[in-house]
Structure formats: structure tokens, C-alpha cells
Amino acid sequence: MTDDKDVLRDVWFGRIPTCFTLYQDEITEREAEPYYLLLPRVSYLTLVTDKVKKHFQKVMRQEDISEIWFEHEGTPLKWHYPIGLLFDLLASSSALPWNITVHFKGFPEKDLLHCPSKDTIEAHFMSCVKEADALKHKSQVINEMQKKDHKQLWMGLHNDRFDQFWAINRKLMEYPAEESGFRYIPFRIYQTTTERPFIQKLFRPVATDGQLHTLGDLLKEVCPSAIAPEGIDGERKNQVMIHGIEPMLETPLQWLSEHLSYPDNFLHISIIPQPTD
Amino acid sequence: MEEDEFFGEKTFQHYCAEFIKHSQQIGDGWEWRTSKDCSDGYMCKIHFQIKNGTVVSHPGTSAHVQTCLPMEEALELPLDDSEVTEATAATEVIKYEYHVLYSCSYQVPVLYFRASFLDGRPLSLKDIWEGVHECYKTRLQQGPWDTITQQEHPILGQPFFVLHPCKTNEFMTPVLKNSRKINRNVNYITSWLSIVGPVVGLNLPLSYARAASQNE
């Protein structure tokens, strides 16, 4: 029987095989070969693509290079979303490798946040961690930590160091002995079919009668269309995906929050159409 | 959803409704917007300003003065060529958009804003900074509202600048305590916006405060 702790490792070390191709209209001095890379599901695009940038900049002139941005089948990729979320939401039904187009011109100001430096990614990441703790613990745990603990969370993610990260993160996963879970569960539900980027609401992990709320309970309450049956055979038309898998709807939300959250301590849930094959 | 805190979403919507009522009375331009697929919404205001860069004439020196004036005032300015020796008057119209959303994570209102030229070119944070009056610049750098960062608008999904909400309770609590002491009615949104707004070029006419204390 798999230990719960093994789940934490499986989530952390998840990878997506990706093929980066330079946009055909970029000006190059030589032909640019595609670049292959295994992307960590739990990290961010601009944090793990230094090698990709260097590879393509080798065949370009400095004056033709502006801020890098990535796109998949015409959709600009939001670097501030975790890589695994982007893949599950936009490309999980396509064949591997994930094809990403690299741009150095024409930054889409209306769609993407700027990412001038690694500090921007750190600030965004820490902002998410703090918001998650505001929901779980009224910010008490994160505020009690020292600056060096915050730094350790970031460095753990930055350097792909599971133990370094979880030495601190485990404190964010605790709750008072007299309670059955966190105050509210940090989650965001994403669908490509809506204008709204995600759904985020206050939701408790435990009901008033003490029963643990499940993933199904959450969806029924905040996104019923996600699990609505359709057609005569009552087949669901959507998949509910986290980290590339479909957890059973009966799974307690508290357990999901403790084990399947991303490093930012949020459960990022994708609602995608059932693949037709 | 859950409303066991002082400033829940329903309370937020109530204060916004009162605020907008007064805005309509004085023609201040605030309106309520809802998203199609959800019951929540936000307050929105758009206004246009002229960014006027002129070199002020002093013999021997050149002081570059940049002022942001509301459109109406700018159009009344006398154009006196004799006073300007090196006149480089470049006027650009800038569209400012302010949104007031509710953060369920921090249970406080949050101010989102962006600015662009009429052709759609967005202003960078640096450009927006230049429109902020000196006295607010130092205040912003000292906090307590920390920093302005670029973030994704949670309802529109587009890049906006945001004043981070995690310190809002810190500076709002004394305001609310004081008004309770002197038994004065306060509209949370009015008080909060009058504090954070000017820092990013958004000013509230005094009549909002009078309206708030008259309510109920």
C-alpha cells in the first residue's frame, strides 16, 4: 500500500516532455533547431527555460531579441500559472511531446504579465503561498515564519530540492489538534470555455456535522457544470484533472489539499472536455 | 458563500452600492459590473487625462515639468507662447481604468488599475509612477500597503496593476475604530478608497464622506 508521503514525491517529480520551436517569423542568422526539455509540472515556465533561451539566442542578433514569451497552438502561455496546470488545461489530450513555440518579439501586452527577472517569479510565488495561508490559517503560520524560511521555500522550488522545500512546507500543512482541517481550502478551478480565468471561492473542508467534504462536494457547490452528466447514458462530458490524473470525486478535499497542492499551496484543478478517441 | 467575518462579500457589495449611488448623484462615473457566469462583480471607473509635457522657461535653466490634469482643466489653460522659450508641448490622452474587487482570501477590497494611450499601447508602471504626486511616492515606498505589482485580473484575466491587499486590515482598523468612537457612520469602501486611491491618481470628491455619514 503506497504511503501518503510517496504521493508528495510523485507530485513534485512529475515531468512533461516538451519540444520548443522558434517562431518562424523570428529573424535568425542560422537555422534554429528545436530544443527538447523535460519540464517540471510544479514549476514555472520562465524559471526553467534559461537553456531554451540561450539555445535560440545563439542564432539571433542581439537587436532582434526582446522579452521572451511562449505560445501553444496560438494561445500565449501564462508563465505565472504552474507548468502542469498549463499542460493539463491546454494540451493533455494531444500527443506528446508538448509543442511550445518560442517568441522574442511582439510581447502580447494584453494577455501576459511581464517577467523581467527571477525576482518577479519569486514575488509571485510567495504571494500565492501567503494567500493560501490566509485561507488555511488566517496567515498565522506564514507570518510566524522567519524570512529565511520563506527564502527556503523559494530556493527549494528554484533548485528542485524536495526535502529542502518540504522541511518548511510541512508547517503550512498542519492544523490545530482540535480542528479536522484547514479553515478554508485554497483552490482554483480552470476551464478554457469561460471568459473568467478561474473560479475561487471560500469553501470549508469540513461540513457542520463534522463530515469531510469531498472533491465532488466542492464541484457541486462552485462549478456544477463540471460534473453534470450528459446524454442518455449519463456519461460525464468533462474530466476533472489535477497533476495529470483524475482523482475520485469521493476523495476528501482536506487530503487533496495536503497532498496534491502545488508548491504554492493551491489546488489547481482543470476542467477539460472528455477526449474523443 | 461564507460570511462570518466583518467584511464579507455581501457587505462589500452593500457598501459599493451606496458608494455608486452617490457617484451617480455627482456624476463621478463609477459603475457596477457583473461577470456573466457568476454572481460576483466589481466597481469600475474609467477616466481620461491629458499628459502634458512642457519645458518651463527660465533663462539659463530648463526645468521639465510633467503634470497630469483632468481633461476639463487642461483645456482651459491659456496657451501663452511668449512664456515658453523651448516649447515642446506633447499632449497625449491617457485612459485610466480603476476596478474595485473583493478578495475572499483576505476579505478586503482590492484596487486594480491600468492605463493606456488611446491607440491601446499600455503604460508601464514607470510611466504611471510619473503621474503620481511626489508626496504620495514616498508614502507608497514606506507602506503600509507595500507594493504595486502587475497581476492577472481575477475576472477579466488581463494584466492589471494591483495594490497588494495583505496590509489593508492594518491601516483600515484604526480608521474604523476611530469612527466608532465618535459614533460616526462610515462607508468602508469610501474610507478605504480615499486612502489608497490618490496614491495611484484616483481622487475622491469630499462629498462622498458627507454622504457616508448621512446614511442610516
Side-chain angles (χ1 to χ4, degrees):
Chain A
M1 193 63 177
T2 324
D3 193 32
D4 275 0
K5 295 284 181 289
D6 292 342
V7 174
L8 302 180
R9 282 190 180 270
D10 289 341
V11 166
W12 181 271
F13 290 108
R15 295 288 186 265
I16 297 172
T18 308
C19 173
F20 290 92
T21 308
L22 186 65
Y23 181 55
Q24 60 194 15
D25 289 357
E26 300 288 331
I27 301 166
T28 57
E29 299 183 320
R30 299 191 292 289
E31 171 108 29
E33 293 286 317
Y35 191 88
Y36 292 82
L37 192 58
L38 283 173
L39 297 180
R41 275 181 162 276
V42 301
S43 191
Y44 301 95
L45 274 173
T46 41
L47 190 55
V48 298
T49 48
D50 282 345
K51 289 197 176 131
V52 178
K53 199 158 80 163
K54 283 201 181 81
H55 168 79
F56 290 116
Q57 287 182 343
K58 268 200 309 246
V59 303
M60 296 174 73
R61 289 175 315 173
Q62 197 54 43
E63 58 259 39
D64 297 321
I65 295 171
S66 276
E67 183 169 1
I68 193 173
W69 58 280
F70 305 96
E71 158 251 304
H72 168 73
E73 293 185 350
T75 306
L77 297 177
K78 300 183 182 184
W79 66 262
H80 68 285
Y81 284 6
I83 291 168
L85 168 63
L86 289 169
F87 178 79
D88 290 343
L89 196 59
L90 304 171
S92 54
S93 53
S94 317
L96 294 172
W98 186 17
N99 285 302
I100 293 184
T101 308
V102 183
H103 293 255
F104 287 99
K105 282 197 321 279
F107 191 89
E109 303 274 355
K110 294 219 169 77
D111 302 300
L112 299 182
L113 303 181
H114 284 282
C115 190
S117 71
K118 295 282 185 290
D119 292 344
T120 314
I121 314 173
E122 180 180 3
H124 165 69
F125 171 71
M126 288 312 303
S127 165
C128 293
V129 173
K130 288 180 185 171
E131 182 177 350
D133 204 57
L135 288 165
K136 290 199 273 186
H137 305 117
K138 285 201 202 178
S139 303
Q140 279 162 8
V141 178
I142 196 75
N143 284 344
E144 265 166 24
M145 285 183 183
Q146 297 177 345
K147 265 226 149 46
K148 70 175 172 75
D149 292 336
H150 294 178
K151 242 340 178 187
Q152 190 168 331
L153 283 174
W154 167 246
M155 292 313 292
L157 178 68
H158 185 305
N159 299 327
D160 193 19
R161 299 277 311 279
F162 177 86
D163 292 316
Q164 185 183 39
F165 177 81
W166 273 98
I168 307 296
N169 201 54
R170 63 176 183 82
K171 299 187 216 168
L172 295 170
M173 292 302 180
E174 290 168 351
Y175 49 88
E178 60 269 24
E179 309 286 348
S180 328
F182 305 134
R183 183 154 189 264
Y184 297 110
I185 298 291
F187 73 88
R188 286 190 180 159
I189 299 174
Y190 303 79
Q191 293 174 89
T192 51
T193 51
T194 54
E195 182 193 73
R196 190 189 196 104
F198 54 80
I199 297 170
Q200 181 180 347
K201 295 211 159 111
L202 293 180
F203 194 84
R204 294 197 191 271
V206 192
T208 36
D209 61 2
Q211 292 274 48
L212 289 174
H213 278 139
T214 63
L215 177 59
D217 292 333
L218 172 69
L219 293 168
K220 208 159 61 172
E221 180 70 36
V222 309
C223 190
S225 60
I227 47 174
E230 142 148 337
I232 3 158
D233 44 5
E235 280 289 305
R236 276 177 30 214
K237 61 173 180 171
N238 287 319
Q239 284 183 308
V240 178
M241 189 169 286
I242 314 178
H243 295 296
I245 60 160
E246 289 187 78
M248 285 166 41
L249 296 180
E250 294 81 7
T251 316
L253 203 54
Q254 175 68 27
W255 186 91
L256 283 174
S257 184
E258 289 175 41
H259 296 85
L260 256 63
S261 288
Y262 280 76
D264 63 3
N265 279 239
F266 269 85
L267 275 173
H268 296 286
I269 303 168
S270 301
I271 310 297
I272 50 181
Q274 288 281 357
T276 46
D277 46 40
Chain B
M1 298 247 62
E2 306 275 345
E3 295 257 345
D4 55 4
E5 294 296 316
F6 162 73
F7 199 73
E9 181 142 20
K10 289 213 165 59
T11 313
F12 165 77
Q13 292 182 351
H14 165 75
Y15 283 130
C16 285
E18 294 291 317
F19 183 91
I20 287 172
K21 230 188 269 175
H22 183 74
S23 167
Q24 285 165 346
Q25 285 167 3
I26 64 172
D28 197 29
W30 285 93
E31 54 180 42
W32 183 256
R33 291 215 187 140
T34 38
S35 70
K36 301 176 231 167
D37 35 7
C38 211
S39 63
D40 63 6
Y42 57 96
M43 287 205 315
C44 172
K45 175 176 173 172
I46 296 176
H47 76 233
F48 298 88
Q49 281 194 343
I50 290 188
K51 187 174 170 183
N52 184 349
T54 28
V55 177
V56 172
S57 69
H58 285 288
T61 63
S62 67
H64 189 92
V65 173
Q66 226 171 38
T67 48
C68 278
L69 303 166
M71 187 105 90
E72 316 76 47
E73 287 179 37
L75 294 172
E76 285 170 34
L77 274 184
L79 292 169
D80 195 343
D81 286 346
S82 62
E83 285 192 350
V84 182
T85 50
E86 286 168 36
T88 335
T91 33
E92 292 248 37
V93 177
I94 301 175
K95 173 185 170 190
Y96 287 87
E97 243 181 289
Y98 299 97
H99 293 198
V100 174
L101 274 76
Y102 178 72
S103 161
C104 61
S105 306
Y106 292 103
Q107 306 199 315
V108 291
V110 190
L111 182 61
Y112 288 76
F113 63 97
R114 66 179 172 187
S116 59
F117 296 102
L118 290 184
D119 60 7
R121 274 178 300 139
L123 260 71
S124 68
L125 192 52
K126 188 166 151 293
D127 296 332
I128 296 180
W129 262 122
E130 284 170 7
V132 173
H133 198 284
E134 274 308 315
C135 71
Y136 292 114
K137 278 191 197 169
T138 22
R139 206 172 79 168
L140 188 72
Q141 277 148 18
Q142 286 162 3
W145 32 79
D146 274 4
T147 43
I148 297 177
T149 51
Q150 199 190 30
Q151 291 193 26
E152 179 183 48
H153 190 291
I155 296 179
L156 299 179
Q158 291 166 18
F160 271 71
F161 295 111
V162 189
L163 276 178
H164 204 273
C166 64
K167 296 277 166 68
T168 301
N169 271 324
E170 240 178 73
F171 65 79
M172 281 306 292
T173 308
V175 171
L176 300 170
K177 264 211 196 104
N178 272 333
S179 53
R180 274 189 218 122
K181 251 194 252 172
I182 59 176
N183 237 349
R184 215 178 89 191
N185 278 322
V186 140
N187 179 320
Y188 188 109
I189 291 298
T190 304
S191 306
W192 166 79
L193 201 49
S194 68
I195 295 172
V196 301
V199 166
V200 296
L202 178 65
N203 291 299
L204 249 53
L206 212 49
S207 61
Y208 276 104
R210 277 182 248 124
S213 57
Q214 276 159 17
N215 279 338
E216 278 178 78

